[in-house]
Amino acid sequence: MRPEPTFADKNPSKFRDYSMDTTDPLKERVRQTYRQMHLNQTVDFVKGRREHWLKFNTIKMTVREALEKLNDLVDESDPDLDLPNIIHAFQAAERARAEFPEHDWLHLTALIHDLGKIMAFYGEPQWAVVGDTFAVGCRWGDSIVYRDESFEGNPDGDNPAYNTELGIYQPNCGVDNLLMSWGHDEYMYSVLKHNKTKLPHVACNIIRFHSFYPWHNGGDYKHLEAPQDAETKKWVLIFNRYDLYTKSEVVPDIEALWPYYQTLIDKYLPGVLEF
């Protein structure tokens, strides 16, 4: 899963560096974002945010308008990039297009995978928008970043209904049935389904689980996997090559690329969407 040299301006070992250094402003911003996330993301919190956001009555806009809004967002959980999200969106999409030119659905999936981050413009703190996701309602996965100290004070850790290996779930229930920490993945997946996207279901699942690193990268939650999750994981791992290893200072010519991607938007997710 390492990138070809032509697609990486940064050594792969330098990505996703979550080491602690309180003198480094970027690393400290990332650590504090995860601290707030892990302290506050409980079963009750997630249910409340789902109740709030899944009414889809926040704003109506096109995909292009939503992408252009991301011009003003820098992800406070990302240790690899300090550029607006729209640039990363086109970086990822172009990488997918280069490797799988025949899968236009994958190109669009890469372009819109972070669109759910628009929640940050409508009152949601970034710790409930960005960053790696995890399942709530069961024991937190061992590979979660900052796992050892950042969950201290989260009441679900003291709740016997939620702090066991299975928690509220049945063995091999499938990742589709997990209650995920609230963030842009789950929100955008729900936006796609609500707006009746023509993207294939696997594309929606890529968006839903692309930040679920403790599962697809860390090897946690295997006891909750169902057989059909193997296909989802396969495509998420393919996609994450574009999501992660295209993060560089090379900025694509967005205006030149718009016509192609607008044809994909018109094909799979046209018109004005309800967010």
Side-chain angles (χ1 to χ4, degrees), residues 53-268:
W53 285 101
L54 301 190
K55 293 183 174 73
F56 306 105
N57 61 359
T58 298
I59 192 169
K60 296 180 180 180
M61 63 175 76
T62 65
V63 169
R64 178 164 183 163
E65 287 168 341
L67 278 165
E68 289 177 339
K69 197 162 186 63
L70 292 183
N71 256 327
D72 301 322
L73 180 70
V74 173
D75 186 332
E76 294 177 359
S77 74
D78 193 339
D80 298 319
L81 196 62
D82 215 11
L83 289 171
N85 248 253
I86 189 173
I87 295 173
H88 166 56
F90 276 93
Q91 289 173 330
E94 282 296 282
R95 178 64 180 90
R97 186 180 177 187
E99 184 168 352
F100 288 102
E102 72 277 18
H103 291 331
D104 64 354
W105 60 267
L106 186 61
H107 313 165
L108 183 60
T109 300
L111 185 73
I112 68 172
H113 74 278
D114 278 343
L115 269 195
K117 291 179 181 178
I118 67 166
M119 288 190 294
F121 297 109
Y122 301 99
E124 201 71 84
Q126 283 218 17
W127 56 261
V129 175
V130 301
D132 294 0
T133 57
F134 56 94
V136 299
C138 65
R139 184 180 179 275
W140 302 305
D142 290 334
S143 69
I144 296 173
V145 296
Y146 307 112
R147 166 72 170 83
D148 291 342
E149 68 280 337
S150 64
F151 283 96
E152 184 177 346
N154 184 313
D156 283 5
D158 297 320
N159 188 330
Y162 301 147
N163 65 10
T164 62
E165 187 174 50
L166 285 173
I168 62 176
Y169 306 109
Q170 297 297 316
N172 308 116
C173 62
V175 295
D176 283 359
N177 293 306
L178 300 181
L179 184 63
M180 299 300 299
S181 57
W182 183 248
H184 69 283
D185 302 50
E186 190 70 23
Y187 179 53
M188 192 59 200
Y189 169 85
S190 300
V191 167
L192 290 173
K193 292 299 186 180
H194 173 74
N195 286 280
K196 297 179 171 54
T197 180
K198 296 181 177 66
L199 283 167
H201 184 62
V202 68
C204 298
N205 271 349
I206 288 172
I207 289 172
R208 188 179 193 183
F209 297 116
H210 76 273
S211 300
F212 193 12
Y213 276 88
W215 170 59
H216 63 68
N217 188 261
D220 296 332
Y221 306 103
K222 287 184 181 297
H223 58 294
L224 301 177
E225 288 182 357
Q228 66 268 23
D229 295 338
E231 182 72 5
T232 297
K233 183 182 285 188
K234 180 191 82 172
W235 279 104
V236 170
L237 289 172
I238 289 170
F239 167 79
N240 268 78
R241 299 206 301 268
Y242 321 140
D243 188 23
L244 177 60
Y245 295 135
T246 54
K247 291 176 181 175
S248 69
E249 299 300 325
V250 178
V251 178
D253 185 347
I254 292 174
E255 283 306 312
L257 294 172
W258 264 123
Y260 171 70
Y261 286 99
Q262 188 61 53
T263 66
L264 303 188
I265 293 167
D266 294 342
K267 178 178 179 180
Y268 291 110

